[in-house]
């Protein structure tokens, strides 16, 4: 295993993890991911850090070859020590399998089938410098972001007031209503994408760990692109067989959408946008000179346009955060930087090839899932099916409560509203025999969603509960799921995502149809 990874790891001088002169331990040891999931991420070791694939591990390594409790690094008076925790595939330090060994800065730790970590000294001044640069760049970009949001909000406000005016007039054509609503939806989704790009750049790494079929991702993107891109751009797609990867479907869709929208911007006079997915074998596939991937089958997602192209200077900076060639207010410089961060977080690689006047090709290379099953992530919500039951909805934002209540009531549900977690607990206590599902916003005054959930769970352990949040870090999500939360709603969500989450939380997959028909909260045919 050591020989497999040796060619793809960094060279660094090994130095003791203890100051031999003063006999005082350096407290800022860290593990840096060299190869594998979240390449480049750094973890502070502290007194002890555990490596594994389970929710209890300090570092959650998304590698099928890693055991749930694989190894741990300990701080001792004599220095740092690594111990293998009886893992099934072993732990290797500098190519040698170990049960227990002392660590020096510069040592390379290989675990699983495609993960290599570097044991290194942490430079706090470097961390502060990077953070200061990021804050400075965000400050410089704030005007452009504000301009983008103002444009999007202008679309929403103009169309909303137009719809109100149409409502007062006689005989309004349905196509005019549909066109205004479509513009509102497009503007809102672009605002959501911009917000997620900012969050993804500031807090990269949060993702779900599941099998994702790339065929479904391409189909979803193609459907969205036909409504987003100019009609002068022709979209073509081709997916080779059933290819799947392990990752987050929403983030992978964001990668493809960002690349395609970028390609569309490069074709102001129209053209052909081609999206293909094919299987290849690494290391045969060209990664542009980098070796930072493990051997094996990979999926190559290719986005090709015949637009204006890029010169060498632009290509060299294309993935830099906040770098953009677009006029002020037309681009944030986060789209391709977000693509790079997400792909890296999925253990993959992204490369670009472009010629001025001839077009651009982006290739996203991701490790294939072991069984290559193609899982279609597209929504399969059944149309024309109504829900029955009572939902307790808690959110401190009245506009969010109102919009969510309308969707739930339209689907056939009765809604009880609470403005914070404490009121939600009180309302449940007085309506326990009626409430079938609870939806809690994570961040609320008086009592937040997590506190309210734990109070409700103590009162009714079997009560289905959904948590809604604009952002939740991985550790907190794992903690909530382990405590019994039935699902997470990533805010902002549309009506389809909301009702899908409600159905998923309330229905059992193998429930008997007859019992489902009598259940107050699972899908049932609309009564005549």
């Amino acid at each position: 295993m050591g020989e497999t990874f040796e060619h793809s790891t960094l060279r660094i001088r090994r130095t003791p993890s203890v100051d031999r002169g003063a006999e005082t331990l350096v407290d800022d040891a860290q593990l840096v991911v060299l190869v594998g999931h979240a390449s480049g991420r750094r973890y502070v070791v502290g007194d002890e850090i555990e490596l594994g694939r389970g929710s209890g591990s300090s570092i959650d390594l998304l590698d099928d070859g890693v055991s749930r409790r694989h190894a741990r690094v300990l701080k001792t008076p004599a220095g740092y020590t690594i111990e293998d925790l009886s893992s099934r595939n072993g732990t290797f330090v500098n190519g040698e399998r170990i049960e227990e060994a002392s660590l020096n800065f510069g040592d390379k730790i290989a675990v699983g089938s495609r993960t290599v970590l570097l044991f290194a000294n942490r430079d706090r001044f470097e961390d502060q410098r990077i953070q200061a640069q990021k804050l400075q760049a965000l400050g410089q970009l704030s005007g452009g972001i504000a301009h983008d949001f103002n444009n999007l909000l202008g679309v929403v406000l103009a169309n909303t007031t137009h719809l109100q005016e149409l409502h007062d007039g006689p005989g309004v054509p349905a196509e005019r209503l549909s066109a205004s609503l479509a513009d509102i939806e497009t503007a809102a989704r672009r605002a959501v994408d911009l917000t997620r790009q900012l969050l993804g750049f500031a807090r990269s790494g949060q993702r779900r760990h599941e099998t994702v079929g790339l065929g479904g991702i391409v189909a979803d993107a193609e459907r969205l692109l036909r409504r987003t891109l100019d009609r002068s751009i022709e979209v073509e797609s081709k997916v080779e067989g059933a290819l799947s990867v392990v990752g987050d479907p929403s983030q992978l869709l964001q990668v493809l959408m960002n690349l395609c929208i970028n390609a569309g911007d490069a074709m102001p006079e129209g053209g052909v946008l081609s999206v293909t997915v094919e299987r290849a074998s690494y290391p045969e596939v060209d990664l542009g000179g980098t070796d930072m991937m493990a051997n094996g089958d990979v999926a190559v997602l290719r986005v090709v346009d015949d637009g204006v192209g890029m010169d060498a200077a632009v290509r060299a900076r294309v993935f830099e955060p906040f770098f953009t060639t677009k006029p002020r207010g037309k681009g944030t410089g986060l789209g391709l930087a977000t693509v790079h961060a997400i792909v890296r977080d999925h253990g993959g690689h992204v490369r670009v090839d472009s010629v001025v006047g001839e077009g651009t090709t982006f290739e996203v290379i991701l490790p294939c899932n072991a069984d290559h099953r193609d899982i279609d992530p597209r929504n399969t919500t059944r149309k024309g099916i109504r829900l029955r039951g009572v939902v307790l909805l808690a959110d401190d934002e009245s506009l969010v409560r109102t919009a969510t209540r309308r969707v739930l009531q339209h689907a056939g549900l009765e809604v009880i509203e609470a403005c914070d977690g404490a009121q939600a607990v009180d309302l449940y206590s007085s309506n326990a025999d009626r409430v079938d599902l609870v939806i809690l916003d994570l961040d609320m005054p008086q009592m937040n969603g997590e506190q309210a959930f734990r109070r409700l769970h103590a009162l009714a352990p079997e009560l289905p509960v959904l948590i809604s949040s604009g952002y939740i870090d991985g550790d907190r999500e794992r903690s909530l799921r382990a405590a019994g939360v039935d699902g997470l709603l990533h805010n902002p969500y549309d009506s389809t995502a909301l009702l899908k989450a409600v159905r998923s939380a309330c229905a059992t997959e193998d429930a008997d149809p007859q019992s489902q028909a009598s259940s107050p909260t699972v899908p049932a045919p609309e009564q005549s």
Side-chain angles (χ1 to χ4, degrees):
M1 187 174 200
E3 294 180 358
T4 301
F5 287 107
E6 187 59 29
H7 72 284
S8 62
T9 54
L10 300 180
R11 298 182 181 274
I12 186 169
R13 184 169 61 88
R14 298 175 68 244
T15 57
S17 62
V18 62
D19 185 338
R20 300 302 181 188
E23 293 298 325
T24 57
L25 198 66
V26 178
D27 292 326
D28 288 337
Q30 63 179 345
L31 291 173
V32 183
V33 182
L34 294 181
V35 180
H37 161 65
S39 176
R41 190 180 301 176
R42 300 167 183 266
Y43 299 90
V44 177
V45 174
D47 291 334
E48 177 180 342
I49 191 168
E50 184 172 305
L51 288 65
R53 199 159 50 89
S55 59
S57 298
S58 306
I59 302 179
D60 190 7
L61 299 173
L62 304 185
D63 184 332
D64 293 338
V66 173
S67 300
R68 294 189 65 80
R69 298 183 69 245
H70 197 103
R72 70 171 160 233
V73 176
L74 302 168
K75 182 170 73 174
T76 70
Y80 284 94
T81 301
I82 184 170
E83 299 176 353
D84 183 78
L85 300 177
S86 301
S87 64
R88 64 181 183 273
N89 291 324
T91 300
F92 296 77
V93 176
N94 299 326
E96 296 183 5
R97 184 164 184 163
I98 59 96
E99 298 297 329
E100 181 177 340
S102 61
L103 285 173
N104 292 302
F105 295 130
D107 286 343
K108 296 177 285 290
I109 304 167
V111 294
S113 59
R114 56 176 182 272
T115 303
V116 178
L117 306 168
L118 172 70
F119 182 70
N121 189 13
R122 179 186 176 200
D123 186 344
R124 294 194 177 189
F125 292 105
E126 178 68 11
D127 293 346
Q128 293 171 358
R129 185 184 67 82
I130 293 173
Q131 184 64 19
Q133 288 179 340
K134 184 182 292 186
L135 290 173
Q136 180 183 9
L138 283 172
Q140 294 171 346
L141 191 68
S142 60
I145 293 176
H147 188 278
D148 284 351
F149 269 114
N150 274 337
N151 285 341
L152 296 171
L153 291 173
V155 173
V156 172
L157 291 174
N159 280 283
T160 301
T161 54
H162 178 58
L163 287 175
Q164 291 172 337
E165 293 171 356
L166 290 178
H167 181 71
D168 295 332
V172 180
E175 58 270 18
R176 292 180 65 184
L177 293 173
S178 297
S180 293
L181 290 171
D183 287 345
I184 291 173
E185 181 183 7
T186 298
R189 292 191 183 278
R190 287 183 179 175
V192 169
D193 288 341
L194 179 56
T195 304
R196 285 178 177 169
Q197 286 174 13
L198 288 167
L199 285 174
F201 175 67
R203 301 163 170 173
S204 63
Q206 181 203 14
R207 69 177 174 94
R208 299 199 296 275
H209 182 195
E210 61 186 67
T211 300
V212 182
L214 293 181
I217 294 292
V218 172
D220 282 349
E222 188 172 4
R223 186 175 64 254
L224 293 170
L225 289 168
R226 295 191 187 283
R227 298 204 307 260
T228 304
L229 297 178
D230 190 275
R231 292 185 178 181
S232 63
I233 297 175
E234 180 183 353
V235 180
E236 300 177 344
S237 67
K238 181 180 180 181
V239 179
E240 175 194 321
L243 280 174
S244 64
V245 298
V246 175
D248 186 309
S250 63
Q251 288 193 356
L252 291 174
L253 178 59
Q254 182 181 358
V255 165
L256 183 53
M257 288 296 295
N258 285 5
L259 290 175
C260 290
I261 290 173
N262 187 76
D265 291 340
M267 296 186 287
E269 305 299 325
V272 178
L273 171 61
S274 172
V275 179
T276 60
V277 178
E278 62 184 22
R279 182 182 289 115
S281 178
Y282 178 72
E284 282 72 20
V285 65
D286 178 17
L287 294 188
T290 180
D291 292 323
M292 301 297 280
M293 281 187 68
N295 294 344
D297 282 355
V298 294
V300 181
L301 172 63
R302 188 175 292 109
V303 176
V304 183
D305 68 69
D306 54 6
V308 297
M310 295 179 282
D311 59 27
V314 174
R315 287 200 309 272
R317 302 187 60 190
V318 72
F319 296 117
E320 289 184 17
F322 313 121
F323 172 74
T324 178
T325 59
K326 299 175 184 177
R328 184 177 180 85
K330 296 296 184 180
T332 62
L334 283 170
L336 294 178
T338 303
V339 166
H340 187 270
I342 292 175
V343 173
R344 182 198 64 192
D345 192 46
H346 282 71
H349 177 76
V350 58
R351 62 181 298 270
V352 58
D353 183 29
S354 185
V355 177
V356 174
E358 296 183 14
T360 301
T361 298
F362 281 95
E363 287 186 340
V364 174
I365 301 157
L366 298 166
C368 279
N369 191 34
D371 56 12
H372 303 303
R373 290 179 303 163
D374 193 358
I375 308 299
D376 188 349
R378 287 174 293 175
N379 193 295
T380 56
T381 303
R382 289 170 288 172
K383 304 297 182 182
I385 300 295
R386 290 178 64 79
L387 302 175
R388 295 177 298 179
V390 179
V391 174
L392 173 57
L393 171 65
D395 199 301
D396 61 313
E397 176 55 64
S398 60
L399 289 174
V400 174
R401 284 202 315 273
T402 300
T404 304
R405 185 196 70 224
R406 285 171 178 161
V407 173
L408 295 174
Q409 288 178 335
H410 183 72
L413 295 163
E414 181 183 344
V415 180
I416 301 174
E417 294 183 54
C419 62
D420 57 50
Q423 187 180 22
V425 174
D426 291 340
L427 286 172
Y428 177 77
S429 298
S430 58
N431 294 274
D433 57 335
R434 301 177 56 229
V435 174
D436 302 294
L437 171 70
V438 178
I439 302 176
L440 299 170
D441 180 40
L442 186 59
D443 298 310
M444 294 184 289
Q446 304 298 324
M447 182 186 294
N448 66 32
E450 182 175 1
Q451 294 168 332
F453 161 70
R454 297 188 185 278
R455 291 279 299 274
L456 291 170
H457 192 64
L459 294 172
E462 301 302 319
L463 176 68
V465 176
L466 295 174
I467 295 288
S468 168
S469 175
Y471 175 81
I472 179 171
D473 63 66
D475 291 339
R476 196 175 188 186
E477 177 178 346
R478 284 191 291 270
S479 175
L480 286 168
R481 290 190 183 277
V485 166
D486 292 86
L488 292 174
L489 273 168
H490 296 279
N491 199 17
Y493 46 80
D494 59 17
S495 60
T496 302
L498 172 62
L499 295 179
K500 182 180 179 182
V502 169
R503 288 188 175 96
S504 177
C506 294
T508 56
E509 291 185 5
D510 299 320
D512 179 80
Q514 295 299 323
S515 64
Q516 282 195 2
S518 60
S519 171
T521 55
V522 298
E526 185 175 358
Q527 302 299 312
S528 59

